Amino acid sequence: MTAVSLGVPGMPVRPVASRRESRLIQVGPVAVGGGAPVSVQSMTTTRTSDIGATLQQIAELTASGCQIVRVACPTQDDADALATIARKSQIPVIADIHFQPKYVFAAIEAGCAAVRVNPGNIKQFDDKVKEIAAAAKEHGTPIRIGVNAGSLDRRLLQKYGRATPEALVESALWEASLFEEHGFRDIKISVKHNDPVVMIEAYRQLAAQSDYPLHLGVTEAGPAFQGTIKSAVAFGALLSQGIGDTIRVSLSAPPAEEVKVGIQILESLNLRQRRLEIVSCPSCGRAQVDVYKLAEEVTAGLTGMEVPLRVAVMGCVVNGPGEAREADLGVASGNGKGQIFVKGEVIKTVPESKIVETLIEEAMKIAEQMEQDGVAAGEPAVTVS
Ligand code: SF4
């Protein structure tokens, strides 16, 4: 067998764009803005007052790669649970507050890493800003001003007629200015809309008018397929211009799915080191093997592998050798056989029936070497070339 030099993969060669300069805030141990890596967050779906279930879901989110988690706080029982959840969670917890200003104070007192407020629906929010700013400053708690199209301040709805980008931005900047009057700037902002076109424009305007770190989100993006597409398109448009410091993909699906999509978006834009990646062709009339089956079997065999390995599974000799050569490991199939490539070199040719087991065997060897070299972890991602 050919000896292969592996080496440690570096950070992404070329990120999609240089980042917009933004103010740095700390959400617990996670830096947001100021050039810090774009973080991925999600939100629990359990009743926050059910501490066990909420911590269990946070543990699952943490395992899926979630870096910041938000929990709803609609009742006093939920507010009472915050201190325990914030203390026991392995990732920073943000309390999500609507309607009741008293829960903002409860969340700050509970030691949450940040508090999200929705100025559009919190009662007499503007009158409370002085007290909120004082409490947040005392505890070192950042505030997210989270403006949503669905709960926009009535005054702005009347002014603009609907939730336009301008209305969303004016709402956010107005509330930020109230905090600024009290010397409080430990703020990040979101201006979410369910329409990616409106959302993109709102964030562009906001990015041009302030230096606060931005939390990106397409709100109520829909079920997994539609929500994934909407979020990928909107985040891609913004992140490719350097706009966005932390992201939350909103799906009508289990929250761990949101995290997987968010991570994949960042990896696709080279904003994060890519992890295990299966590059498989879509197949066509030239395919000489069942590419779907092969890709599925290889993916299943490598699931759980914790190294950034690129594996090419190609159906014929048109693009096969080229892609297989570019990957860490690959197969180019044809005439009932598979040429196995490792780091650009053909190491062997095996019958079709042995392709999957050979790829998995070689992947294990490379992974072992990568682990010895201390290369970072991850779940597999599938890319169709
Ligand atoms: S690699 Fe071959 S089989 Fe796969 S899509 Fe390209 S031409 Fe078709």
Side-chain angles (χ1 to χ4, degrees), residues 4-28:
V4 176
S5 163
L6 293 166
V8 180
M11 284 304 288
V13 198
R14 193 153 54 97
V16 64
S18 53
R19 306 271 304 283
R20 158 185 170 260
E21 284 183 21
S22 62
R23 186 183 286 274
L24 173 73
I25 66 165
Q26 276 303 136
V27 178

Side-chain angles (χ1 to χ4, degrees), residues 309-366:
L309 189 71
R310 188 177 166 94
V311 182
V313 179
M314 306 298 289
C316 80
V317 293
V318 172
N319 294 324
E323 288 287 0
R325 222 173 266 130
E326 290 296 309
D328 297 300
L329 171 66
V331 61
S333 313
N335 294 328
K337 293 180 194 152
Q339 273 188 320
I340 307 292
F341 289 76
V342 173
K343 296 286 173 185
E345 303 287 338
V346 178
I347 58 157
K348 61 174 87 164
T349 300
V350 297
E352 192 178 326
S353 61
K354 299 277 182 199
I355 291 174
V356 174
E357 67 178 71
T358 309
L359 282 177
I360 292 171
E361 197 181 291
E362 294 301 325
M364 296 298 175
K365 285 184 205 161
I366 299 175

Side-chain angles (χ1 to χ4, degrees), residues 86 118 150 183 245 343:
N118 181 345
D245 300 287
K343 296 286 173 185

Side-chain angles (χ1 to χ4, degrees), residues 112-158:
C112 289
V115 178
R116 179 272 170 111
V117 296
N118 181 345
N121 67 17
I122 290 189
K123 287 175 199 158
Q124 296 165 335
F125 184 79
D126 294 4
D127 302 337
K128 302 281 179 193
V129 167
K130 184 177 178 186
E131 282 175 74
I132 293 173
K137 200 184 275 184
E138 188 190 334
H139 288 80
T141 313
I143 299 285
R144 166 153 77 95
I145 296 174
V147 176
N148 260 20
S151 49
L152 187 65
D153 192 316
R154 225 177 310 149
R155 183 178 60 83
L156 290 163
L157 266 184
Q158 277 166 0

Side-chain angles (χ1 to χ4, degrees), residues 14-285:
R14 193 153 54 97
V16 64
S18 53
R19 306 271 304 283
R20 158 185 170 260
E21 284 183 21
S22 62
R23 186 183 286 274
L24 173 73
I25 66 165
Q26 276 303 136
V27 178
V30 179
V32 175
V38 180
S39 49
V40 173
Q41 49 181 292
S42 185
M43 188 165 179
T44 51
T45 55
T46 52
R47 297 225 174 277
T48 304
S49 54
D50 186 343
I51 295 174
T54 302
L55 284 170
Q56 173 62 34
Q57 197 172 55
I58 292 176
E60 288 162 15
L61 283 167
T62 305
S64 71
C66 185
Q67 294 165 287
I68 297 171
V69 66
R70 191 153 43 106
V71 299
C73 185
T75 69
Q76 187 60 48
D77 285 347
D78 299 313
D80 292 342
L82 290 175
T84 306
I85 292 169
R87 196 175 66 250
K88 293 194 170 175
S89 170
Q90 288 180 295
I91 53 176
V93 173
I94 299 182
D96 189 70
I97 313 294
H98 295 259
F99 304 113
Q100 293 278 2
K102 65 179 177 181
Y103 297 144
V104 176
F105 299 104
I108 292 171
E109 293 286 332
C112 289
V115 178
R116 179 272 170 111
V117 296
N118 181 345
N121 67 17
I122 290 189
K123 287 175 199 158
Q124 296 165 335
F125 184 79
D126 294 4
D127 302 337
K128 302 281 179 193
V129 167
K130 184 177 178 186
E131 282 175 74
I132 293 173
K137 200 184 275 184
E138 188 190 334
H139 288 80
T141 313
I143 299 285
R144 166 153 77 95
I145 296 174
V147 176
N148 260 20
S151 49
L152 187 65
D153 192 316
R154 225 177 310 149
R155 183 178 60 83
L156 290 163
L157 266 184
Q158 277 166 0
K159 178 175 172 185
Y160 288 95
R162 63 200 159 84
T164 61
E166 292 75 14
L168 296 168
V169 171
E170 186 173 327
S171 175
L173 292 180
W174 163 253
E175 298 304 338
S177 75
L178 296 182
F179 278 99
E180 287 161 7
E181 275 176 23
H182 302 291
F184 188 85
R185 290 186 170 76
D186 209 5
I187 292 170
K188 63 185 170 116
I189 299 182
S190 61
V191 280
K192 298 190 183 181
H193 198 289
N194 62 43
D195 182 337
V197 175
V198 179
M199 176 271 195
I200 290 167
E201 183 53 27
Y203 276 98
R204 277 186 185 148
Q205 291 183 15
L206 186 57
Q209 293 176 48
S210 86
D211 68 349
Y212 287 115
L214 301 181
H215 162 123
L216 301 188
V218 178
T219 191
E220 292 107 28
F225 178 74
Q226 178 185 293
T228 298
I229 302 288
K230 276 187 170 185
S231 301
V233 167
F235 295 4
L238 290 164
L239 291 167
S240 67
Q241 295 175 353
I243 298 170
D245 300 287
T246 182
I247 60 172
R248 191 258 170 126
V249 175
S250 300
L251 301 178
S252 304
E257 294 303 309
E258 300 182 345
V259 175
K260 281 188 201 163
V261 173
I263 290 172
Q264 187 69 55
I265 291 171
L266 295 183
E267 289 182 8
S268 300
L269 294 169
N270 271 0
L271 287 166
R272 186 177 281 214
Q273 171 72 57
R274 292 185 187 176
R275 301 167 302 168
L276 182 61
E277 188 178 9
I278 310 292
V279 179
S280 58
C281 81
S283 189
C284 73

